[in-house]
Amino acid sequence: MSDADENDILVVGAGPAGLATSACLGKLGLAHVVVERAADVGSAWRRHYDRLHLHTTKKYSALPMSPWPRDAPRYPSREQMVDYLERYAAEHGVRPRMGIEVRRIEHGAGERFSVRTSAGLLSPRCVVIATGDNAVPNWPSLRGIDAFAGSVVHASGYRNAAPYLGKRTLVVGSGNSGAEIALDLAEHGVDVSMVVRGPVHVVPRDLLGRPTQHTAVLLARLPARWRDAIVKPMLRAAVGDLARFGIVRPTLGPNQMIETLGRIPMLDIGTVARIKDGSIRVLPGVEEVFSNSVGFADGRVHAFDTIVLATGYTTGLAQLIEGFEGVASARGRADRFGAKRMPDGLYFVGFRHAATGALREIALEAPRVAAAIARNLNGLGKDGAGR
């Protein structure tokens, strides 16, 4: 379809977004190079905590051209996801160059980029960033944290409850990772507390036997405020008022919070029941950390032996890409195929926050980006369209 050689197209990352993009480029006959800093495809999935299952259903978690097997469970496990990614790469002939770290992407000569890597300089015409939202763990600045005598670990380093048995553990953060890690600890009898710093929506993974993701997909074409008008009464009925347990519902609806603030609701797979029965204590924001205790926004101080920081990640793109501010949203996230202040040819796959699920969005984005690259290389017009 194009007379370009493989050095004209660079895909950065061999997780779901990078593999999907590579498969779609291959389907169009576009030679390209995939680089990955780790030693295996799907490296982030290999590092996740043991109990993790997909929070989205297999129906909407398949990458382009490769549905999940019929015998896979509705919510596949972490191990099954890793196996799926390995099979996907083999099935579609995706052969990443492993152990190559991209260190800087800059404007190059003419229509090309200058990409500095651990293996040398590359000069592609098109670059697809598929490194994911969870590239760099976010370590918050908590007053006094350096004086804490116990262990402090980011959620990226959490595997299972075994090291925390018999220890008073504080999980800082109430996103999906924080809520599930707190649940895992509670299920294993660990004395666990979870910090919920501000208002947060709680959404059951399944509602009346139906995955809430499927409802989100059904409503996806409606404006966010209309979707919220439909789902908020359902959530009030399903979840109830959790204020007395320390969880306050925001006034802004869950879909509007995702689109305007990038804040994903807490997806409940059992955490709320553990909060209600007292197995997980909810605490407000951290004010100060002491040698063997933590002070909170309500004035209380509680003793802890270990702290798990479920405080999210950053993309690291501002440091990676020259002029990233020209292609970033107001929240500092990639939100375009092309660029305003860079040459045509810079693309992003796998960075969209949506109630419909990240893997589903990747499956939609990857073929669009592959087609846009084909148009770009064949001179059929500019391709700066957003998602």
Side-chain angles (χ1 to χ4, degrees):
M1 189 166 186
S2 171
D3 60 0
D5 64 34
E6 67 172 16
N7 296 315
D8 281 337
I9 306 172
L10 175 66
V11 179
V12 184
L19 297 180
T21 303
S22 177
C24 292
L25 289 168
K27 183 181 179 182
L28 295 178
L30 293 171
H32 59 282
V33 172
V34 182
V35 296
E36 166 60 50
R37 66 182 179 181
D40 303 283
V41 300
S43 62
W45 283 93
R46 298 172 190 273
R47 298 192 303 268
H48 283 313
Y49 44 90
D50 295 345
R51 69 159 289 146
L52 179 67
H53 283 66
L54 291 183
H55 293 152
T56 53
T57 66
K58 65 179 180 180
K59 177 179 179 180
Y60 290 123
S61 299
L63 300 181
M65 302 171 284
S66 293
W68 278 85
R70 288 189 173 211
D71 60 353
R74 173 181 280 182
Y75 298 103
S77 69
R78 178 184 66 87
E79 294 88 346
Q80 289 170 319
M81 184 64 184
V82 171
D83 290 342
Y84 174 84
L85 294 176
E86 289 179 342
R87 291 196 308 271
Y88 188 88
E91 179 183 349
H92 296 286
V94 182
R95 300 179 181 85
R97 299 180 184 178
M98 298 297 185
I100 297 179
E101 181 182 9
V102 173
R103 294 171 175 168
R104 185 68 173 169
I105 300 171
E106 299 175 338
H107 302 180
E111 297 180 346
R112 293 186 177 272
F113 293 90
S114 176
V115 181
R116 287 189 278 126
T117 79
S118 57
L121 187 66
L122 301 176
S123 302
R125 292 168 61 187
C126 297
V127 178
V128 181
I129 308 297
T131 49
D133 266 342
N134 298 343
V136 182
N138 178 44
W139 291 81
S141 178
L142 298 177
R143 186 171 58 171
I145 190 70
D146 292 339
F148 186 65
S151 65
V152 180
V153 62
H154 189 271
S156 58
Y158 179 90
R159 293 295 174 269
N160 55 56
Y164 303 90
L165 298 177
K167 296 182 179 180
R168 295 162 297 185
T169 302
L170 177 67
V171 178
V172 180
S174 57
N176 287 332
S177 293
E180 188 161 4
I181 288 172
L183 174 62
D184 191 39
L185 292 167
E187 289 178 340
H188 287 84
V190 175
D191 180 349
V192 58
S193 301
M194 180 176 69
V195 170
V196 180
R197 189 173 59 178
V200 60
H201 283 291
V202 177
V203 176
R205 187 180 65 179
D206 297 277
L207 185 57
L208 301 176
R210 177 184 174 85
T212 52
Q213 182 199 17
H214 290 200
T215 301
V217 172
L218 183 65
L219 301 175
R221 292 185 179 275
L222 297 176
R225 68 181 186 279
W226 292 11
R227 281 177 270 153
D228 285 337
I230 294 171
V231 303
K232 284 174 71 175
M234 298 168 60
L235 294 179
R236 282 195 295 270
V239 178
D241 185 0
L242 301 177
R244 65 191 177 98
F245 298 103
I247 298 178
V248 177
R249 183 181 294 113
T251 55
L252 195 64
N255 289 285
Q256 293 175 86
M257 289 194 72
I258 293 172
E259 293 192 4
T260 61
L261 303 176
R263 291 172 60 182
I264 303 297
M266 179 200 297
L267 195 69
D268 180 38
I269 57 173
T271 304
V272 170
R274 290 289 183 165
I275 290 172
K276 289 180 175 180
D277 71 15
S279 301
I280 299 173
R281 176 171 48 185
V282 174
L283 296 170
V286 173
E287 284 289 305
E288 187 171 2
V289 181
F290 306 102
S291 61
N292 60 1
S293 61
V294 178
F296 297 90
D298 61 0
R300 288 182 290 173
V301 177
H302 295 283
F304 292 101
D305 303 303
T306 186
I307 298 174
V308 179
L309 298 173
T311 46
Y313 301 79
T314 64
T315 63
L317 296 183
Q319 293 73 40
L320 181 67
I321 302 170
E322 179 188 14
F324 177 67
E325 65 278 1
V327 295
S329 69
R331 299 192 306 273
R333 294 187 174 275
D335 68 347
R336 292 175 58 83
F337 283 159
K340 294 177 181 177
R341 286 184 259 162
M342 301 183 74
D344 286 332
L346 181 66
Y347 304 84
F348 300 92
V349 177
F351 294 93
R352 187 175 182 216
H353 286 179
T356 49
L359 290 170
R360 177 181 181 270
E361 295 304 316
I362 288 171
L364 296 173
E365 291 173 346
R368 293 173 186 163
V369 166
I373 291 174
R375 292 194 302 271
N376 189 346
L377 295 181
N378 282 286
L380 297 182
K382 301 295 184 180
D383 59 282
R387 295 192 184 131

